[in-house]
Amino acid sequence: MALFIFICFFLVSASLPLPYSGAAVETNDFQPEVYNPKLPPRALTSSKKFEGSSDLVRLRYHMGPVLSSPINIYIIWYGKWAQPQKLLIKDFLLSISASHRAAASPSVAEWWRTVSLYTDQTGANVSRSVLIAGEYADQRYSHGAQLTRLSIQQVIASAVRAAPFPVDHKNGIYLILTSEDVAVQDFCRAVCGFHYFTFPSMVGYTLPYAWVGNSGKQCPDVCAYPFAVPAYMTGGGPSALSPPNRDVGVDGMISVIGHELAELSSNPLVNAWYAGEDPTAPTEIGDLCEGLYGTGGGGGYIGQVMRDREGRTFNLNGRRKRKFLVQWIWSPALKACAGPNALD
């Protein structure tokens, strides 16, 4: 449900984001190198293809709906956002259902295919069509610069009542993105993002939503790893990787957004796909693969990813030649974590 922080792996320390310099664009025909920061010994993984696989994982379907119709995303930009940051996030979202001509392989659209393998009781799959159906900018911090989980629902209610958004309880995802100066309950301490559904008493309707915060100034070493690393890892451990779009906070958000959208699409009302017996604390398809980005990942290693000529690290290609680093997702077919950049 939430992108939880494993304290043994992520500790809070001060780190500043790199300046944003616009879109990451490849020139000529340069082939990015495959890069594996600190690949673990082979003894830690019996098969390169099945990182995170386990017979002990009991991911089950609980008879609830998945988002099988074309998915409409309604973005709430809470706080102050620079236009290049908005464009970067929207390019990621629009890359999910982009055609094969829009992005080279491995692509964001190929990554979403794993999510689309999940079905409801009628056999309908999670939709591969994802659209940005609306945007709403709350630049005045209408509910303050410190939000709770309940006040996030009030932010949604304000957007719905102001009428920029329709009530789209069947196909809609309401995505609240808070700027780097907004504090959110449990942010940086226990979560980097979460998803749930609104309460009719708060909003008037039951609407699936997700929240993700920009950790650039608050806790990049916690929520934007591996673009920033905890202080305890700087004395001989792996160094921070260069973000693909030169924005530690927003590049870090991209993977969290992908994590939450995958889970929200396959478990929108917390009664569809998850492991465990407690629906208030489910282990979902993103949770099972948290921290895995490529072949050979596991045991604290992100796995093999790619690096361009400027040293920027990524594992997926998007529209307009964008590049992203996004965690893998649990595949119901492989019963393992999977991504299109797998090397075998």
Side-chain angles (χ1 to χ4, degrees):
M1 176 176 299
L3 184 56
F4 288 99
I5 298 165
F6 293 94
I7 301 301
C8 63
F9 189 64
F10 300 115
L11 294 178
V12 178
S13 68
S15 180
L16 294 175
L18 295 174
Y20 181 85
S21 63
V25 178
E26 286 296 308
T27 57
N28 301 325
D29 296 317
F30 174 77
Q31 292 297 114
E33 65 173 317
V34 174
Y35 173 58
N36 192 335
K38 299 283 187 177
L39 180 66
R42 285 189 176 272
L44 295 180
T45 173
S46 59
S47 168
K48 291 191 297 179
K49 192 171 184 178
F50 296 98
E51 283 75 13
S53 61
S54 173
D55 293 334
L56 300 177
V57 173
R58 296 289 182 262
L59 184 73
R60 295 193 298 115
Y61 177 57
H62 296 79
M63 304 306 290
V66 301
L67 297 183
S68 56
S69 299
I71 299 169
N72 297 324
I73 296 182
Y74 301 92
I75 306 174
I76 300 174
W77 304 100
Y78 193 87
K80 292 181 171 60
W81 287 89
Q83 192 63 22
Q85 294 177 320
K86 289 183 177 182
L87 289 175
L88 174 55
I89 291 172
K90 289 193 290 184
D91 275 341
F92 171 71
L93 296 174
L94 293 172
S95 295
I96 291 175
S97 54
S99 70
H100 69 279
R101 295 184 182 89
S105 184
S107 68
V108 175
E110 291 170 338
W111 170 83
W112 188 259
R113 287 178 189 171
T114 299
V115 183
S116 72
L117 295 176
Y118 289 89
T119 62
D120 64 14
Q121 56 186 311
T122 71
N125 295 76
V126 170
S127 178
R128 289 173 61 178
S129 176
V130 178
L131 309 172
I132 297 176
E135 299 178 62
Y136 175 65
D138 192 336
Q139 298 179 352
R140 297 185 177 181
Y141 305 82
S142 62
H143 294 271
Q146 296 185 337
L147 302 177
T148 66
R149 289 179 181 247
L150 286 180
S151 62
I152 283 176
Q153 294 201 22
Q154 292 171 343
V155 171
I156 300 172
S158 296
V160 171
R161 289 170 189 151
F165 293 160
V167 176
D168 191 354
H169 56 81
K170 183 179 180 182
N171 303 328
I173 287 178
Y174 295 79
L175 180 60
I176 303 91
L177 304 175
T178 51
S179 57
E180 60 189 3
D181 57 342
V182 177
V184 176
Q185 179 183 358
D186 295 328
F187 186 33
C188 296
R189 185 184 63 83
V191 295
C192 301
F194 62 78
H195 75 88
Y196 206 58
F197 52 84
T198 61
F199 304 142
S201 60
M202 296 286 293
V203 182
Y205 309 91
T206 299
L207 304 172
Y209 76 92
W211 159 79
V212 179
N214 185 341
S215 67
K217 289 187 177 178
Q218 298 184 53
C219 57
D221 51 340
V222 177
C223 292
Y225 182 91
F227 304 132
V229 299
Y232 79 92
M233 296 178 66
T234 58
S239 58
L241 303 183
S242 179
N245 302 284
R246 302 299 193 203
D247 189 319
V248 169
V250 177
D251 275 310
M253 287 182 75
I254 296 293
S255 188
V256 184
I257 290 171
H259 174 118
E260 299 301 337
L261 290 183
E263 294 183 342
L264 189 52
S265 299
S266 59
N267 195 28
L269 300 180
V270 200
N271 60 358
W273 289 95
Y274 65 87
E277 300 302 322
D278 183 2
T280 65
T283 300
E284 299 173 279
I285 66 173
D287 300 325
L288 292 167
C289 303
E290 188 173 335
L292 295 178
Y293 297 84
T295 297
Y301 296 88
I302 71 168
Q304 292 183 318
V305 293
M306 292 173 283
R307 189 167 58 180
D308 68 12
R309 67 173 71 203
E310 296 181 28
R312 296 175 295 197
T313 309
F314 66 100
N315 65 350
L316 300 177
N317 294 292
R319 68 192 296 264
R320 300 202 308 135
K321 297 186 178 181
R322 293 281 199 182
K323 305 199 181 300
F324 306 102
L325 186 68
V326 182
Q327 71 154 85
W328 282 10
I329 295 296
W330 186 265
S331 166
L334 298 176
K335 292 182 171 48
C337 298
N341 60 310
L343 296 183
D344 60 351

